[in-house]
Amino acid sequence: MAIFVSTEQMTDYTNVLNIILHEGLTTYKMKHSKASLPARIEAEKADKQHKKGAVFAVRSKSDFTSNGVKGYIVTSKETLLEDATQLTHFTPNIYRKFCYSDEKRSMIKGFEEKNLLQINTFVVDIDTKRFNVQDILLSCIDESIGTPTLIVESACGYQVYFALSDPLFISNKNNFRGLTVAKRISDNLKKSLKCVDADLFCNDFGFFRLPKPDNIVWMQLDHIYSMEQLIEWSRRQDDNQSRPLFVVPSKLTKSSVMKSEWFTKLVQAVDIKGQKGQLGRNNAMFTLALVCFGEGWAKERTFNFLDEYNSNLKYPLPLADIHTLLNSAYSGKYKGASKEYVEALLAEYVEGGTFIPVNFGYKGGWYKFKKDRKDRVRSHYEEWEQDIISYISAEKSSSEMFLWRTQKEICAAIDIPQSTLNAILKKSTRLLKTVKGKGRFAKTGWTTISLFIQYALKVATEMAASQHRYRKGLQEIATEYIVQLEPISGYKLLMQYLQNLGVAPLPIEQSRSG
């Protein structure tokens, strides 16, 4: 597998942590800092301009136990830099309150979503090595919002970081509306990468692999996203999935969920176990506990119900686990069971479960669904860009590098104004374009970064049986086609991809002058 990060890129590891953490932690330790006094004084002045919180860190994956998480609290970037080599996981997003839950100060407490101070990054977990870094990158470009900031490798897979240009601060205003929006974005990011087996049920803002020089396999620190970009992209994902923009039930009468078919079938499903990336016993029992809590059952009654359900399972849970999830369900932190989790459990463990309707007893409906595209007031450039990419991908022959169409033909096919197309070409980092000939004999070729690389790899593979010849073939193909491209926005990013694949094409000015 190719490593996409050069030694030069990793010379300053501090930049990586700064991009991820922003100003959420103090720069230096309050005590025993190794920084000089002038540096500490200057940093303290800057630190006072932003709210500070903490992240949680662990030294081993085995520190995640059924009785809690064994780790420690980090409040400064200096501490994190000093301890990085000894750590495996951390919370890249900043928490407001933090403490230890035992006298030995070994068990940490406070990493709950509503205790978040700021969200710095979205992380997608891919818990498999079936796909390589190149597959993930192409999927990010084709299926998701775009190139990630980092890809971190673990023993079993990868974690894909999409860092924010500015942190999203979380407050309890409007019933944690900011957190709700962030969770929807996280959900859409995970779904957009399901083609490379992204874990759809991974905790949105929990613990992830700490990026370190020896596990970062892709890094482009200038590839960061604003919340405005992510919100607009997420809305389009909702549109494509026919999901409501705001999921709010009408305030009408409510019938008992326990009388529904899905609840009965789930209770009857006893062959549930689960594994990483797949919902299992804990999720099923937690869902049932939330339903009981929503029905107004006393905690003791729910425990007796879960204990009986657990005894019927082929792979029952330890009694301590039942107490833990019961306490969590009755903590008041959750509004209710997740419809998507229920649907996933039914699909996995109940025969014909995908056809069983899931509702939570509201007799009203949902409101504020998407409008048809023709009814929207304005179409955003990103939406037009995706339409162009979809058109090129559908029309281009696999035996050609480019789709040959005039700009008028592209505009007519997409139903897009010429001025909008020109504006998109100036901004897009995914589209590539070439023009052959002059005047009325000119013809325009269109492709995308992803299609360019796929074609180059395909032809290089056909040309050679050995790795040495493969790289030489890839170099020849890239050099042949690079000279044809116009230097629009996507050109620079393509150069970065090719260089990471071991290709060193001439700059476009030199290619044309030669």
Side-chain angles (χ1 to χ4, degrees):
M1 182 198 68
I3 299 299
F4 287 73
V5 180
S6 66
T7 304
E8 292 77 10
Q9 285 179 295
M10 289 306 301
T11 53
D12 191 359
Y13 179 52
T14 306
N15 287 340
V16 175
L17 294 183
N18 285 337
I19 289 292
I20 294 175
L21 299 172
H22 291 285
E23 292 81 24
L25 306 182
T26 61
T27 306
Y28 300 115
K29 293 184 284 188
M30 296 296 291
K31 297 180 180 179
H32 312 300
S33 174
K34 295 178 181 178
S36 65
L37 180 60
R40 295 202 309 271
I41 293 173
E42 190 66 27
E44 285 175 10
K45 291 179 182 177
D47 286 344
K48 289 178 181 178
Q49 298 178 23
H50 305 275
K51 291 182 179 180
K52 304 300 176 188
V55 299
F56 300 92
V58 301
R59 297 179 179 87
S60 169
K61 195 171 182 179
S62 61
D63 289 336
F64 298 103
T65 74
S66 58
N67 295 322
V69 178
K70 182 181 179 181
Y72 64 98
I73 296 163
V74 178
T75 58
S76 73
K77 292 177 183 177
E78 183 181 12
T79 300
L80 197 58
L81 281 165
E82 288 180 354
D83 297 353
T85 56
Q86 305 169 34
L87 301 174
T88 59
H89 297 74
F90 83 134
T91 58
N93 297 299
I94 311 295
Y95 287 86
R96 189 182 308 273
K97 298 178 182 179
F98 36 89
C99 64
Y100 294 95
S101 60
D102 64 329
E103 293 182 359
K104 295 181 179 179
R105 294 170 62 84
S106 62
M107 305 302 288
I108 50 181
K109 182 180 179 182
F111 40 89
E112 301 165 354
E113 288 182 345
K114 290 187 177 180
N115 186 34
L116 280 165
L117 172 64
Q118 66 187 58
I119 292 173
N120 301 319
T121 183
F122 294 88
V123 187
V124 177
D125 184 29
I126 300 172
D127 195 37
T128 177
K129 287 289 183 75
R130 288 180 55 233
F131 303 95
N132 59 29
V133 179
Q134 184 62 42
D135 296 329
I136 295 169
L137 285 172
L138 292 177
S139 297
C140 288
I141 295 170
D142 284 346
E143 307 294 337
S144 193
I145 191 169
T147 311
T149 313
L150 298 170
I151 298 180
V152 176
E153 184 177 20
S154 67
C156 301
Y158 303 93
Q159 293 185 343
V160 186
Y161 279 70
F162 297 91
L164 288 172
S165 55
D166 294 293
L168 170 66
F169 291 95
I170 301 300
S171 74
N172 59 3
K173 292 181 180 179
N174 298 317
N175 199 19
F176 290 92
R177 183 181 178 185
L179 179 60
T180 301
V181 171
K183 287 179 69 64
R184 174 60 67 88
I185 291 170
S186 176
D187 184 56
N188 280 329
L189 284 170
K190 289 184 284 189
K191 286 181 176 177
S192 71
L193 293 177
K194 64 182 179 181
C195 56
V196 286
D197 286 354
D199 185 351
L200 302 181
F201 306 108
C202 179
N203 191 339
D204 295 310
F205 306 111
F207 286 87
F208 297 99
R209 285 273 169 185
L210 173 65
K212 294 187 279 188
D214 62 351
N215 67 11
I216 297 175
V217 292
W218 165 264
M219 181 175 72
Q220 283 299 115
L221 297 183
D222 57 342
H223 290 179
I224 53 180
Y225 297 89
S226 68
M227 275 302 295
E228 290 77 12
Q229 284 177 288
L230 285 159
I231 289 170
E232 288 303 317
W233 174 82
S234 187
R235 282 175 174 167
R236 294 195 299 277
Q237 297 300 111
D238 286 341
D239 286 355
N240 295 336
Q241 299 171 40
S242 296
R243 296 173 78 186
L245 299 180
F246 299 97
V247 185
V248 184
S250 58
K251 298 179 180 179
L252 299 180
T253 57
K254 184 173 183 280
S255 58
S256 175
V257 176
M258 294 180 172
K259 296 179 181 179
S260 63
E261 181 184 8
W262 72 260
F263 185 86
T264 303
K265 293 289 186 182
L266 189 57
V267 172
Q268 293 172 351
V270 296
D271 191 12
I272 298 180
K273 189 174 184 181
Q275 56 187 1
K276 179 68 175 174
Q278 178 190 59
L279 298 185
R281 297 165 295 177
N282 293 72
N283 306 101
M285 207 168 296
F286 185 59
T287 296
L288 296 176
L290 285 172
V291 171
C292 294
F293 177 67
E295 294 283 320
W297 281 22
K299 196 172 183 180
E300 183 180 359
R301 182 183 179 187
T302 300
F303 173 78
N304 292 333
F305 168 73
L306 295 179
D307 187 36
E308 182 179 353
Y309 169 74
N310 188 55
S311 65
N312 291 328
L313 292 176
K314 289 185 179 180
Y315 309 98
L317 285 171
L319 195 63
D321 287 4
I322 300 177
H323 280 293
T324 299
L325 63 87
L326 179 64
N327 289 335
S328 183
Y330 273 70
S331 66
K333 301 173 186 175
Y334 303 92
K335 295 180 181 178
S338 164
K339 182 179 180 182
E340 292 182 354
Y341 276 39
V342 172
E343 289 173 342
L345 287 165
L346 293 174
E348 187 67 34
Y349 300 110
V350 175
E351 185 176 354
T354 54
F355 302 104
I356 298 175
V358 176
N359 60 71
F360 296 103
Y362 291 97
K363 292 185 178 178
W366 306 91
Y367 64 91
K368 200 152 187 175
F369 281 85
K370 66 158 186 172
K371 297 178 181 179
D372 290 335
R373 175 160 176 169
K374 62 183 176 61
D375 295 328
R376 296 179 209 162
V377 175
R378 60 189 291 254
S379 295
H380 298 279
Y381 284 145
E382 294 90 344
E383 194 170 358
W384 288 121
E385 178 192 49
Q386 186 56 55
D387 286 349
I388 296 169
I389 291 169
S390 299
Y391 176 72
I392 294 170
S393 301
E395 294 291 318
K396 191 185 83 65
S397 168
S398 60
S399 61
E400 286 256 13
M401 172 62 85
F402 300 103
L403 170 69
W404 297 97
R405 296 284 189 277
T406 65
Q407 289 204 13
K408 285 186 178 180
E409 288 173 331
I410 291 287
C411 290
I414 310 280
D415 190 22
I416 179 175
Q418 179 82 38
S419 58
T420 303
L421 175 60
N422 292 334
I424 290 168
L425 291 175
K426 289 180 181 179
K427 295 173 64 175
S428 175
T429 56
R430 302 168 68 187
L431 291 168
L432 298 170
K433 174 181 172 238
T434 184
V435 178
K436 282 187 176 181
K438 295 182 179 180
R440 61 192 181 93
F441 299 107
K443 60 177 185 176
T444 305
W446 306 82
T447 190
T448 69
I449 291 176
S450 177
L451 292 173
F452 186 104
I453 294 174
Q454 287 178 26
Y455 179 83
L457 294 174
K458 172 179 173 290
V459 176
T461 302
E462 293 171 352
M463 288 175 62
S466 69
Q467 179 69 13
H468 176 73
R469 177 59 187 155
Y470 172 85
R471 288 195 178 276
K472 186 177 180 181
L474 184 58
Q475 176 76 51
E476 291 174 359
I477 296 159
T479 303
E480 175 187 352
Y481 284 102
I482 285 298
V483 70
Q484 301 178 37
L485 295 175
E486 291 190 354
I488 58 177
S489 297
Y491 177 84
K492 182 180 177 182
L493 184 56
L494 175 65
M495 296 300 100
Q496 179 66 52
Y497 278 121
L498 291 174
Q499 288 167 14
N500 290 333
L501 288 171
V503 176
L506 290 172
I508 193 165
E509 295 83 2
Q510 294 181 26
S511 298
R512 287 177 171 172
S513 62

